[in-house]
């Protein structure tokens, strides 16, 4: 955390003493008891049409083919204080919240039919937004999941593998679905990894994604356009399956 972030946190702690958002217990944002009480969704829908009930959020028969093999939504945005928690996490820079939020995601994944991933990736932020926020909220969640999904066996996290090369206005500010898709065209890329040839130039290798089951993590999805665009890039670079998990879907206003 930068000094500025620390000062902000310090001031916020004085102005807003920490208590569990659900039950009021001191010194935690969400106590373990309240994490346990968060209701997970009992069924998933197709990530594209959102009309068809689908096991673990697989794309339905009508919407195939999609680059996203499944979208697991953990809970409802407007319930269980989730919207408050996500807001504090993202816009009040409460980094510690990645632990209760990570627990919710781990529980949802374990209860789902999603296959165990070979690699976990988070939806990247553009460096400009990363500097402003000080941390990538999805990356912290990824790290938590990688360490806690299969205790004792850490699942690799592909850090900086998927990058955001285009600065795009926040999706929240774009109302129309097609505009959201256009906004994201070519926004993501895979960082070329490679080996140096004897002549000193970089020979690209894409082995890091090839044939792998990828789990993509984001905090909130609205239309799912971001996840679909990321999945497209990952598939183009050799990923076998791409699944995604988010805390909740935020309805478009
Ligand atoms: Zn509580
Ligand atoms: Zn569908």
């Amino acid at each position: 955390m930068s000094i500025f972030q620390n000062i902000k946190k310090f001031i916020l702690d004085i102005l807003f003493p920490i208590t569990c958002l659900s039950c009021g217990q001191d010194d935690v944002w969400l106590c373990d008891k309240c994490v346990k009480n968060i209701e997970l969704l009992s069924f998933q829908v197709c990530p594209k049409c959102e009309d068809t009930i689908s096991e673990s959020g697989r794309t339905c028969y009508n919407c195939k083919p999609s680059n996203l093999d499944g979208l697991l939504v953990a809970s409802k945005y407007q319930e269980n204080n989730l919207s408050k928690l996500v807001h504090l996490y993202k816009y009040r820079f409460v980094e510690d919240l990645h632990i209760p939020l990570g627990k919710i995601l781990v529980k949802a994944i374990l209860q789902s039919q999603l296959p165990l991933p070979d690699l976990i990736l988070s939806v990247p932020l553009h460096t400009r937004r990363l500097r402003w926020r000080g941390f990538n909220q999805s990356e912290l969640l990824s790290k938590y999941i990688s360490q806690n999904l299969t205790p004792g066996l850490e699942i690799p996290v592909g850090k900086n593998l998927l990058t955001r090369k285009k600065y795009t206005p926040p999706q929240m500010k774009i109302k129309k679905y097609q505009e959201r898709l256009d906004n994201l065209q070519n926004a993501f890329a895979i960082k070329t990894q490679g080996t140096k040839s004897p002549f000193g130039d970089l020979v690209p290798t894409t082995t890091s994604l090839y044939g792998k089951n990828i789990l993509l993590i984001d905090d909130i999805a609205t239309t799912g356009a971001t996840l679909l665009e990321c999945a497209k890039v990952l598939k183009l670079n050799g990923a076998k399956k791409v699944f995604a998990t988010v805390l909740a879907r935020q309805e478009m206003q």
Side-chain angles (χ1 to χ4, degrees), residues 39-131:
E39 243 178 89
L40 298 181
L41 290 183
S42 52
F43 63 89
Q44 300 289 326
V45 294
C46 163
K48 273 184 118 177
C49 65
E50 294 183 61
D51 284 336
T52 324
I53 290 180
S54 122
E55 189 187 295
S56 296
R58 280 171 212 281
T59 317
C60 78
Y61 187 73
N62 293 332
C63 291
K64 276 190 168 171
S66 159
N67 288 307
L68 193 60
D69 296 286
L71 169 61
L72 179 71
V73 181
S75 191
K76 275 196 181 146
Y77 190 65
Q78 298 301 350
E79 290 174 21
N80 309 300
N81 282 315
L82 208 54
S83 59
K84 249 196 234 171
L85 286 165
V86 170
H87 194 86
L88 278 171
Y89 185 43
K90 276 178 92 163
Y91 303 107
R92 291 269 192 82
F93 315 106
V94 183
E95 251 181 282
D96 293 347
L97 270 174
H98 80 273
I99 296 169
L101 294 175
K103 280 182 188 168
I104 296 166
L105 288 173
V106 165
K107 191 172 162 194
I109 297 166
L110 291 175
Q111 286 189 4
S112 76
Q113 306 288 321
L114 287 194
L116 204 61
D118 303 309
L119 184 67
I120 299 177
L121 294 176
S122 44
V123 171
L125 289 179
H126 191 271
T127 41
R128 236 161 94 184
R129 197 161 300 139
L130 185 61
R131 269 202 300 273

Side-chain angles (χ1 to χ4, degrees), residues 20 22-25 31 34:
C20 172
S22 291
C23 72
Q25 187 189 307
C31 73
C34 293

Side-chain angles (χ1 to χ4, degrees), residues 19-25 28-35 37:
T19 54
C20 172
L21 281 165
S22 291
C23 72
Q25 187 189 307
V28 279
W29 290 103
L30 193 68
C31 73
D32 273 345
K33 200 184 89 222
C34 293
V35 170
N37 286 340

Side-chain angles (χ1 to χ4, degrees), residues 3-231:
I3 291 171
F4 179 53
Q5 298 282 346
N6 274 323
I7 293 170
K8 265 199 282 197
K9 192 178 175 305
F10 178 72
I11 294 167
L12 286 168
D13 284 352
I14 294 169
L15 292 177
F16 307 99
I18 298 171
T19 54
C20 172
L21 281 165
S22 291
C23 72
Q25 187 189 307
D26 284 338
D27 295 328
V28 279
W29 290 103
L30 193 68
C31 73
D32 273 345
K33 200 184 89 222
C34 293
V35 170
K36 275 202 191 111
N37 286 340
I38 285 196
E39 243 178 89
L40 298 181
L41 290 183
S42 52
F43 63 89
Q44 300 289 326
V45 294
C46 163
K48 273 184 118 177
C49 65
E50 294 183 61
D51 284 336
T52 324
I53 290 180
S54 122
E55 189 187 295
S56 296
R58 280 171 212 281
T59 317
C60 78
Y61 187 73
N62 293 332
C63 291
K64 276 190 168 171
S66 159
N67 288 307
L68 193 60
D69 296 286
L71 169 61
L72 179 71
V73 181
S75 191
K76 275 196 181 146
Y77 190 65
Q78 298 301 350
E79 290 174 21
N80 309 300
N81 282 315
L82 208 54
S83 59
K84 249 196 234 171
L85 286 165
V86 170
H87 194 86
L88 278 171
Y89 185 43
K90 276 178 92 163
Y91 303 107
R92 291 269 192 82
F93 315 106
V94 183
E95 251 181 282
D96 293 347
L97 270 174
H98 80 273
I99 296 169
L101 294 175
K103 280 182 188 168
I104 296 166
L105 288 173
V106 165
K107 191 172 162 194
I109 297 166
L110 291 175
Q111 286 189 4
S112 76
Q113 306 288 321
L114 287 194
L116 204 61
D118 303 309
L119 184 67
I120 299 177
L121 294 176
S122 44
V123 171
L125 289 179
H126 191 271
T127 41
R128 236 161 94 184
R129 197 161 300 139
L130 185 61
R131 269 202 300 273
W132 173 75
R133 187 171 291 147
F135 64 98
N136 177 346
Q137 75 281 4
S138 303
E139 200 177 289
L140 289 184
L141 293 173
S142 296
K143 224 178 275 170
Y144 185 87
I145 294 166
S146 92
Q147 290 164 352
N148 292 280
L149 191 59
T150 47
L153 177 83
E154 202 169 309
I155 300 167
V157 176
K159 205 167 183 278
N160 302 327
L161 191 61
L162 182 63
T163 60
R164 195 184 279 256
K165 56 179 182 172
K166 194 165 102 181
Y167 186 79
T168 51
Q171 287 288 80
M172 277 300 295
K173 293 191 177 155
I174 306 171
K175 299 276 185 257
K176 288 198 184 114
Y177 183 68
Q178 191 54 44
E179 280 177 28
R180 283 179 180 234
L181 287 178
D182 295 345
N183 178 38
L184 287 166
Q185 269 293 322
N186 304 317
F188 300 98
I190 299 298
K191 199 168 193 181
T192 312
Q193 298 189 320
T195 43
K196 283 260 167 76
S197 81
F199 307 104
D201 46 8
L202 200 68
V203 181
T205 50
T206 48
T207 45
S208 40
L209 288 172
Y210 193 77
K212 295 214 166 124
N213 279 333
I214 313 273
L215 180 62
L216 198 54
I217 305 294
D218 208 355
D219 46 4
I220 295 294
T222 39
T223 59
T226 305
L227 295 168
L228 281 166
E229 189 61 27
C230 288

